[in-house]
Amino acid sequence: MANVDILVVEDEAPIRDMLRLVLEQANFTVRAAPDVQAALKILETKLPDLILLDWMLPGMSGIDWAAKLRHDATYSDIPIILVTARGEEEDKVSGLDTGADDYVTKPFSPRELIARINAVLRRFGKGEKPALIQVDGIVLDAEQHRLHIDQRPVELSPTEYRLLEFFITHPDKVYSRTQLLDRVWGRSAYIEERTVDVHIRRLRKILAEFGRDAMIQTVRGFGYRFSTQSH
Ligand code: CA
């Protein structure tokens, strides 16, 4: 199973360390930040599968950040669990449209936290990632980064692999070049949008050898979509 990557944003170091320990023991990969600013830096490198976000943070609060992420196309499908203190905050969170997908109230047991995380991941289809991603004769080995089409091994560059993996795991949705850059290359990569076109062309050429190039569809004026159905 490929690892599920969780970003923890918590300003209190002892709690942050406790969360890291609990999550790592449950086999999650953990990255942690003390505030939103540091969390944004982490998001630039690679998007996590879930964000565990403390409500009370210095600077921007967790709840404000959750609302912001919800309205940003790059981040809007990352599930967020808000962490609150018992009392007032709890009532507010439960009654508000916070942008968070669930919340846990301190103090919570490790077991409760892991159960909540797994439930949210399942809801988002982000539970344990299968080692093999398969669609229509295309098989990606997520651990070894290998591709087979119609049982034949196919050479791919790491970028082309990530691009194909992103497409296959996000089918039937249109992504702009900017969104693809953010999601496949990462925000820290300052790459021109036409780089996306270059890699799409290469990927299509490879897929064409197997009669599958129509799976990557150009949506004029917007971007690209991966689909096993013709549109
Ligand atoms: Ca706090």
Side-chain angles (χ1 to χ4, degrees):
M1 292 289 177
N3 267 331
V4 173
D5 184 4
I6 296 183
L7 169 60
V8 173
V9 190
E10 166 64 69
D11 56 317
E12 286 165 76
I15 300 178
R16 198 167 60 234
D17 293 344
M18 180 272 285
L19 289 172
R20 178 188 286 281
L21 192 72
V22 165
L23 295 175
E24 283 179 350
Q25 276 173 350
N27 284 323
F28 293 113
T29 298
V30 180
R31 292 179 293 166
D35 53 35
V36 167
Q37 215 178 355
L40 278 169
K41 288 224 167 68
I42 289 177
L43 284 189
E44 281 173 9
T45 55
K46 184 173 169 276
L47 293 185
D49 295 299
L50 181 142
I51 301 175
L52 193 59
L53 181 59
D54 188 28
W55 164 303
M56 295 300 271
L57 292 169
M60 183 180 279
S61 75
I63 202 160
D64 287 343
W65 196 43
K68 258 186 109 170
L69 290 174
R70 266 305 156 260
H71 292 101
D72 186 323
T74 304
Y75 305 120
S76 58
D77 60 355
I78 305 174
I80 298 169
I81 297 180
L82 211 55
V83 181
T84 74
R86 195 171 292 284
E88 232 191 308
E89 291 178 8
E90 191 186 351
D91 300 332
K92 277 195 224 154
V93 174
S94 56
L96 276 177
D97 179 18
T98 57
D101 300 289
D102 199 0
Y103 69 97
V104 289
T105 306
K106 295 177 196 170
F108 43 80
S109 73
R111 213 160 65 167
E112 181 196 352
L113 177 67
I114 300 299
R116 291 289 186 95
I117 288 174
N118 283 329
V120 170
L121 287 171
R122 266 199 306 277
R123 190 140 53 86
F124 277 74
K126 290 185 178 209
E128 293 200 312
K129 295 176 193 163
L132 290 182
I133 303 164
Q134 309 194 42
V135 64
D136 207 17
I138 301 175
V139 181
L140 287 170
D141 183 327
E143 273 167 13
Q144 303 200 7
H145 280 211
R146 288 207 181 115
L147 166 67
H148 282 78
I149 303 178
D150 296 339
Q151 279 139 26
R152 271 172 54 201
V154 181
E155 288 288 327
L156 275 189
S157 75
T159 303
E160 284 148 20
Y161 180 91
R162 286 204 307 277
L163 186 58
L164 183 60
E165 184 186 58
F166 178 78
F167 273 137
I168 288 182
T169 52
H170 299 79
D172 301 312
K173 266 171 91 173
V174 185
Y175 291 92
S176 70
R177 289 167 179 81
T178 311
Q179 286 171 340
L180 288 171
L181 278 178
D182 285 344
R183 303 291 296 266
V184 177
W185 279 262
R187 279 233 156 152
S188 57
Y190 294 102
I191 296 171
E192 290 179 60
E193 290 193 0
R194 64 191 162 92
T195 305
V196 175
D197 301 323
V198 172
H199 284 273
I200 295 265
R201 250 199 313 276
R202 285 196 206 138
L203 208 48
R204 270 195 183 132
K205 213 175 145 195
I206 290 164
L207 292 173
E209 290 172 37
F210 300 87
R212 304 263 201 327
D213 47 315
M215 285 179 166
I216 299 178
Q217 299 159 0
T218 304
V219 181
R220 233 165 262 293
F222 198 74
Y224 296 101
R225 164 180 57 213
F226 180 89
S227 181
T228 52
Q229 292 134 40
S230 47
H231 283 262

PDB file of all heavy atoms in Angstrom, residues 46-70:
ATOM      1  N   LYS A  46       4.233  19.182  -2.116  1.00  0.00           N
ATOM      2  CA  LYS A  46       3.392  18.059  -2.529  1.00  0.00           C
ATOM      3  C   LYS A  46       2.079  18.168  -1.770  1.00  0.00           C
ATOM      4  O   LYS A  46       2.088  18.474  -0.579  1.00  0.00           O
ATOM      5  CB  LYS A  46       4.091  16.739  -2.172  1.00  0.00           C
ATOM      6  CG  LYS A  46       3.372  15.490  -2.629  1.00  0.00           C
ATOM      7  CD  LYS A  46       4.264  14.266  -2.354  1.00  0.00           C
ATOM      8  CE  LYS A  46       3.504  12.980  -2.551  1.00  0.00           C
ATOM      9  NZ  LYS A  46       2.734  12.587  -1.353  1.00  0.00           N
ATOM     10  N   LEU A  47       0.967  17.926  -2.440  1.00  0.00           N
ATOM     11  CA  LEU A  47      -0.318  18.036  -1.758  1.00  0.00           C
ATOM     12  C   LEU A  47      -0.522  16.822  -0.856  1.00  0.00           C
ATOM     13  O   LEU A  47      -0.266  15.694  -1.252  1.00  0.00           O
ATOM     14  CB  LEU A  47      -1.459  18.112  -2.776  1.00  0.00           C
ATOM     15  CG  LEU A  47      -1.500  19.372  -3.644  1.00  0.00           C
ATOM     16  CD1 LEU A  47      -2.745  19.359  -4.517  1.00  0.00           C
ATOM     17  CD2 LEU A  47      -1.449  20.642  -2.820  1.00  0.00           C
ATOM     18  N   PRO A  48      -0.983  17.047   0.380  1.00  0.00           N
ATOM     19  CA  PRO A  48      -1.269  15.925   1.272  1.00  0.00           C
ATOM     20  C   PRO A  48      -2.608  15.288   0.909  1.00  0.00           C
ATOM     21  O   PRO A  48      -3.391  15.844   0.143  1.00  0.00           O
ATOM     22  CB  PRO A  48      -1.344  16.592   2.645  1.00  0.00           C
ATOM     23  CG  PRO A  48      -1.821  17.983   2.358  1.00  0.00           C
ATOM     24  CD  PRO A  48      -1.275  18.353   0.992  1.00  0.00           C
ATOM     25  N   ASP A  49      -2.869  14.118   1.481  1.00  0.00           N
ATOM     26  CA  ASP A  49      -4.158  13.449   1.260  1.00  0.00           C
ATOM     27  C   ASP A  49      -5.213  13.978   2.221  1.00  0.00           C
ATOM     28  O   ASP A  49      -6.411  13.798   1.974  1.00  0.00           O
ATOM     29  CB  ASP A  49      -4.002  11.938   1.455  1.00  0.00           C
ATOM     30  CG  ASP A  49      -3.077  11.359   0.411  1.00  0.00           C
ATOM     31  OD1 ASP A  49      -3.414  11.469  -0.773  1.00  0.00           O
ATOM     32  OD2 ASP A  49      -2.005  10.835   0.781  1.00  0.00           O
ATOM     33  N   LEU A  50      -4.765  14.603   3.324  1.00  0.00           N
ATOM     34  CA  LEU A  50      -5.708  15.133   4.316  1.00  0.00           C
ATOM     35  C   LEU A  50      -4.974  16.174   5.165  1.00  0.00           C
ATOM     36  O   LEU A  50      -3.768  16.076   5.377  1.00  0.00           O
ATOM     37  CB  LEU A  50      -6.219  13.990   5.194  1.00  0.00           C
ATOM     38  CG  LEU A  50      -7.249  14.320   6.283  1.00  0.00           C
ATOM     39  CD1 LEU A  50      -8.277  13.186   6.391  1.00  0.00           C
ATOM     40  CD2 LEU A  50      -6.613  14.525   7.661  1.00  0.00           C
ATOM     41  N   ILE A  51      -5.732  17.177   5.631  1.00  0.00           N
ATOM     42  CA  ILE A  51      -5.150  18.182   6.536  1.00  0.00           C
ATOM     43  C   ILE A  51      -5.859  18.094   7.882  1.00  0.00           C
ATOM     44  O   ILE A  51      -7.092  18.127   7.950  1.00  0.00           O
ATOM     45  CB  ILE A  51      -5.278  19.609   5.966  1.00  0.00           C
ATOM     46  CG1 ILE A  51      -4.581  19.712   4.605  1.00  0.00           C
ATOM     47  CG2 ILE A  51      -4.680  20.630   6.948  1.00  0.00           C
ATOM     48  CD1 ILE A  51      -4.763  21.056   3.906  1.00  0.00           C
ATOM     49  N   LEU A  52      -5.055  17.941   8.935  1.00  0.00           N
ATOM     50  CA  LEU A  52      -5.565  17.969  10.309  1.00  0.00           C
ATOM     51  C   LEU A  52      -5.225  19.359  10.835  1.00  0.00           C
ATOM     52  O   LEU A  52      -4.051  19.697  11.003  1.00  0.00           O
ATOM     53  CB  LEU A  52      -4.882  16.871  11.123  1.00  0.00           C
ATOM     54  CG  LEU A  52      -5.474  16.525  12.472  1.00  0.00           C
ATOM     55  CD1 LEU A  52      -6.909  16.067  12.346  1.00  0.00           C
ATOM     56  CD2 LEU A  52      -4.629  15.449  13.145  1.00  0.00           C
ATOM     57  N   LEU A  53      -6.269  20.163  11.052  1.00  0.00           N
ATOM     58  CA  LEU A  53      -6.051  21.602  11.198  1.00  0.00           C
ATOM     59  C   LEU A  53      -6.581  22.117  12.526  1.00  0.00           C
ATOM     60  O   LEU A  53      -7.782  22.005  12.819  1.00  0.00           O
ATOM     61  CB  LEU A  53      -6.756  22.292  10.013  1.00  0.00           C
ATOM     62  CG  LEU A  53      -6.703  23.797   9.869  1.00  0.00           C
ATOM     63  CD1 LEU A  53      -5.265  24.286   9.771  1.00  0.00           C
ATOM     64  CD2 LEU A  53      -7.486  24.208   8.618  1.00  0.00           C
ATOM     65  N   ASP A  54      -5.697  22.679  13.335  1.00  0.00           N
ATOM     66  CA  ASP A  54      -6.112  23.260  14.613  1.00  0.00           C
ATOM     67  C   ASP A  54      -6.900  24.550  14.365  1.00  0.00           C
ATOM     68  O   ASP A  54      -6.578  25.322  13.468  1.00  0.00           O
ATOM     69  CB  ASP A  54      -4.857  23.557  15.451  1.00  0.00           C
ATOM     70  CG  ASP A  54      -5.204  23.976  16.870  1.00  0.00           C
ATOM     71  OD1 ASP A  54      -6.258  23.551  17.370  1.00  0.00           O
ATOM     72  OD2 ASP A  54      -4.409  24.726  17.459  1.00  0.00           O
ATOM     73  N   TRP A  55      -7.949  24.741  15.136  1.00  0.00           N
ATOM     74  CA  TRP A  55      -8.766  25.964  14.975  1.00  0.00           C
ATOM     75  C   TRP A  55      -7.975  27.194  15.395  1.00  0.00           C
ATOM     76  O   TRP A  55      -7.860  28.160  14.678  1.00  0.00           O
ATOM     77  CB  TRP A  55     -10.043  25.824  15.826  1.00  0.00           C
ATOM     78  CG  TRP A  55     -10.809  27.079  16.097  1.00  0.00           C
ATOM     79  CD1 TRP A  55     -10.353  28.215  16.690  1.00  0.00           C
ATOM     80  CD2 TRP A  55     -12.178  27.331  15.772  1.00  0.00           C
ATOM     81  NE1 TRP A  55     -11.343  29.136  16.773  1.00  0.00           N
ATOM     82  CE2 TRP A  55     -12.480  28.633  16.223  1.00  0.00           C
ATOM     83  CE3 TRP A  55     -13.179  26.566  15.157  1.00  0.00           C
ATOM     84  CZ2 TRP A  55     -13.738  29.200  16.078  1.00  0.00           C
ATOM     85  CZ3 TRP A  55     -14.440  27.136  15.019  1.00  0.00           C
ATOM     86  CH2 TRP A  55     -14.711  28.439  15.468  1.00  0.00           C
ATOM     87  N   MET A  56      -7.423  27.150  16.649  1.00  0.00           N
ATOM     88  CA  MET A  56      -6.752  28.330  17.196  1.00  0.00           C
ATOM     89  C   MET A  56      -5.272  28.304  16.832  1.00  0.00           C
ATOM     90  O   MET A  56      -4.492  27.543  17.377  1.00  0.00           O
ATOM     91  CB  MET A  56      -6.911  28.356  18.715  1.00  0.00           C
ATOM     92  CG  MET A  56      -8.348  28.536  19.158  1.00  0.00           C
ATOM     93  SD  MET A  56      -9.083  30.080  18.571  1.00  0.00           S
ATOM     94  CE  MET A  56      -8.635  31.160  19.917  1.00  0.00           C
ATOM     95  N   LEU A  57      -4.906  29.151  15.882  1.00  0.00           N
ATOM     96  CA  LEU A  57      -3.517  29.237  15.442  1.00  0.00           C
ATOM     97  C   LEU A  57      -3.106  30.707  15.483  1.00  0.00           C
ATOM     98  O   LEU A  57      -3.946  31.589  15.297  1.00  0.00           O
ATOM     99  CB  LEU A  57      -3.382  28.734  13.995  1.00  0.00           C
ATOM    100  CG  LEU A  57      -3.604  27.251  13.724  1.00  0.00           C
ATOM    101  CD1 LEU A  57      -3.691  27.002  12.222  1.00  0.00           C
ATOM    102  CD2 LEU A  57      -2.464  26.423  14.316  1.00  0.00           C
ATOM    103  N   PRO A  58      -1.823  30.970  15.709  1.00  0.00           N
ATOM    104  CA  PRO A  58      -1.379  32.366  15.611  1.00  0.00           C
ATOM    105  C   PRO A  58      -1.464  32.801  14.151  1.00  0.00           C
ATOM    106  O   PRO A  58      -1.274  31.988  13.246  1.00  0.00           O
ATOM    107  CB  PRO A  58       0.074  32.313  16.085  1.00  0.00           C
ATOM    108  CG  PRO A  58       0.505  30.897  15.885  1.00  0.00           C
ATOM    109  CD  PRO A  58      -0.730  30.043  16.011  1.00  0.00           C
ATOM    110  N   GLY A  59      -1.776  34.046  13.889  1.00  0.00           N
ATOM    111  CA  GLY A  59      -1.958  34.494  12.506  1.00  0.00           C
ATOM    112  C   GLY A  59      -3.321  34.056  12.027  1.00  0.00           C
ATOM    113  O   GLY A  59      -4.310  34.175  12.740  1.00  0.00           O
ATOM    114  N   MET A  60      -3.375  33.482  10.827  1.00  0.00           N
ATOM    115  CA  MET A  60      -4.677  33.058  10.297  1.00  0.00           C
ATOM    116  C   MET A  60      -5.203  31.851  11.074  1.00  0.00           C
ATOM    117  O   MET A  60      -4.470  30.900  11.331  1.00  0.00           O
ATOM    118  CB  MET A  60      -4.541  32.711   8.809  1.00  0.00           C
ATOM    119  CG  MET A  60      -5.875  32.322   8.182  1.00  0.00           C
ATOM    120  SD  MET A  60      -5.743  31.920   6.434  1.00  0.00           S
ATOM    121  CE  MET A  60      -5.738  33.544   5.721  1.00  0.00           C
ATOM    122  N   SER A  61      -6.472  31.877  11.443  1.00  0.00           N
ATOM    123  CA  SER A  61      -7.034  30.755  12.201  1.00  0.00           C
ATOM    124  C   SER A  61      -7.296  29.573  11.271  1.00  0.00           C
ATOM    125  O   SER A  61      -7.413  29.734  10.055  1.00  0.00           O
ATOM    126  CB  SER A  61      -8.342  31.176  12.879  1.00  0.00           C
ATOM    127  OG  SER A  61      -9.367  31.245  11.907  1.00  0.00           O
ATOM    128  N   GLY A  62      -7.393  28.396  11.886  1.00  0.00           N
ATOM    129  CA  GLY A  62      -7.646  27.192  11.103  1.00  0.00           C
ATOM    130  C   GLY A  62      -8.950  27.276  10.331  1.00  0.00           C
ATOM    131  O   GLY A  62      -9.054  26.843   9.179  1.00  0.00           O
ATOM    132  N   ILE A  63      -9.935  27.864  10.944  1.00  0.00           N
ATOM    133  CA  ILE A  63     -11.261  27.907  10.305  1.00  0.00           C
ATOM    134  C   ILE A  63     -11.249  28.837   9.093  1.00  0.00           C
ATOM    135  O   ILE A  63     -11.858  28.552   8.063  1.00  0.00           O
ATOM    136  CB  ILE A  63     -12.336  28.293  11.343  1.00  0.00           C
ATOM    137  CG1 ILE A  63     -13.692  27.811  10.860  1.00  0.00           C
ATOM    138  CG2 ILE A  63     -12.357  29.763  11.652  1.00  0.00           C
ATOM    139  CD1 ILE A  63     -14.705  27.708  11.968  1.00  0.00           C
ATOM    140  N   ASP A  64     -10.509  29.952   9.209  1.00  0.00           N
ATOM    141  CA  ASP A  64     -10.407  30.865   8.060  1.00  0.00           C
ATOM    142  C   ASP A  64      -9.637  30.215   6.915  1.00  0.00           C
ATOM    143  O   ASP A  64      -9.970  30.373   5.748  1.00  0.00           O
ATOM    144  CB  ASP A  64      -9.712  32.174   8.470  1.00  0.00           C
ATOM    145  CG  ASP A  64     -10.618  33.041   9.326  1.00  0.00           C
ATOM    146  OD1 ASP A  64     -11.840  32.794   9.326  1.00  0.00           O
ATOM    147  OD2 ASP A  64     -10.105  33.950   9.993  1.00  0.00           O
ATOM    148  N   TRP A  65      -8.607  29.472   7.284  1.00  0.00           N
ATOM    149  CA  TRP A  65      -7.806  28.832   6.242  1.00  0.00           C
ATOM    150  C   TRP A  65      -8.605  27.735   5.541  1.00  0.00           C
ATOM    151  O   TRP A  65      -8.564  27.593   4.325  1.00  0.00           O
ATOM    152  CB  TRP A  65      -6.503  28.269   6.814  1.00  0.00           C
ATOM    153  CG  TRP A  65      -5.498  27.953   5.743  1.00  0.00           C
ATOM    154  CD1 TRP A  65      -5.193  28.735   4.660  1.00  0.00           C
ATOM    155  CD2 TRP A  65      -4.687  26.777   5.640  1.00  0.00           C
ATOM    156  NE1 TRP A  65      -4.227  28.104   3.886  1.00  0.00           N
ATOM    157  CE2 TRP A  65      -3.909  26.920   4.466  1.00  0.00           C
ATOM    158  CE3 TRP A  65      -4.535  25.630   6.418  1.00  0.00           C
ATOM    159  CZ2 TRP A  65      -2.981  25.942   4.059  1.00  0.00           C
ATOM    160  CZ3 TRP A  65      -3.614  24.667   6.010  1.00  0.00           C
ATOM    161  CH2 TRP A  65      -2.847  24.823   4.841  1.00  0.00           C
ATOM    162  N   ALA A  66      -9.373  26.979   6.341  1.00  0.00           N
ATOM    163  CA  ALA A  66     -10.200  25.916   5.751  1.00  0.00           C
ATOM    164  C   ALA A  66     -11.157  26.511   4.713  1.00  0.00           C
ATOM    165  O   ALA A  66     -11.323  25.972   3.611  1.00  0.00           O
ATOM    166  CB  ALA A  66     -10.979  25.192   6.845  1.00  0.00           C
ATOM    167  N   ALA A  67     -11.757  27.654   5.061  1.00  0.00           N
ATOM    168  CA  ALA A  67     -12.694  28.299   4.129  1.00  0.00           C
ATOM    169  C   ALA A  67     -11.972  28.743   2.863  1.00  0.00           C
ATOM    170  O   ALA A  67     -12.485  28.610   1.747  1.00  0.00           O
ATOM    171  CB  ALA A  67     -13.353  29.483   4.818  1.00  0.00           C
ATOM    172  N   LYS A  68     -10.743  29.242   3.045  1.00  0.00           N
ATOM    173  CA  LYS A  68      -9.964  29.695   1.877  1.00  0.00           C
ATOM    174  C   LYS A  68      -9.599  28.520   0.958  1.00  0.00           C
ATOM    175  O   LYS A  68      -9.704  28.607  -0.263  1.00  0.00           O
ATOM    176  CB  LYS A  68      -8.657  30.357   2.352  1.00  0.00           C
ATOM    177  CG  LYS A  68      -8.713  31.876   2.307  1.00  0.00           C
ATOM    178  CD  LYS A  68      -7.367  32.457   2.643  1.00  0.00           C
ATOM    179  CE  LYS A  68      -6.747  33.049   1.387  1.00  0.00           C
ATOM    180  NZ  LYS A  68      -5.538  33.824   1.712  1.00  0.00           N
ATOM    181  N   LEU A  69      -9.163  27.421   1.568  1.00  0.00           N
ATOM    182  CA  LEU A  69      -8.756  26.251   0.778  1.00  0.00           C
ATOM    183  C   LEU A  69      -9.937  25.721  -0.035  1.00  0.00           C
ATOM    184  O   LEU A  69      -9.779  25.277  -1.167  1.00  0.00           O
ATOM    185  CB  LEU A  69      -8.220  25.143   1.691  1.00  0.00           C
ATOM    186  CG  LEU A  69      -6.875  25.415   2.370  1.00  0.00           C
ATOM    187  CD1 LEU A  69      -6.551  24.294   3.343  1.00  0.00           C
ATOM    188  CD2 LEU A  69      -5.760  25.545   1.346  1.00  0.00           C
ATOM    189  N   ARG A  70     -11.121  25.777   0.576  1.00  0.00           N
ATOM    190  CA  ARG A  70     -12.323  25.283  -0.099  1.00  0.00           C
ATOM    191  C   ARG A  70     -12.599  26.018  -1.408  1.00  0.00           C
ATOM    192  O   ARG A  70     -13.198  25.494  -2.326  1.00  0.00           O
ATOM    193  CB  ARG A  70     -13.546  25.470   0.805  1.00  0.00           C
ATOM    194  CG  ARG A  70     -13.907  24.325   1.630  1.00  0.00           C
ATOM    195  CD  ARG A  70     -14.121  23.062   0.822  1.00  0.00           C
ATOM    196  NE  ARG A  70     -13.915  21.931   1.700  1.00  0.00           N
ATOM    197  CZ  ARG A  70     -12.786  21.234   1.742  1.00  0.00           C
ATOM    198  NH1 ARG A  70     -11.790  21.514   0.941  1.00  0.00           N
ATOM    199  NH2 ARG A  70     -12.656  20.219   2.563  1.00  0.00           N
TER     200      ARG A  70
END
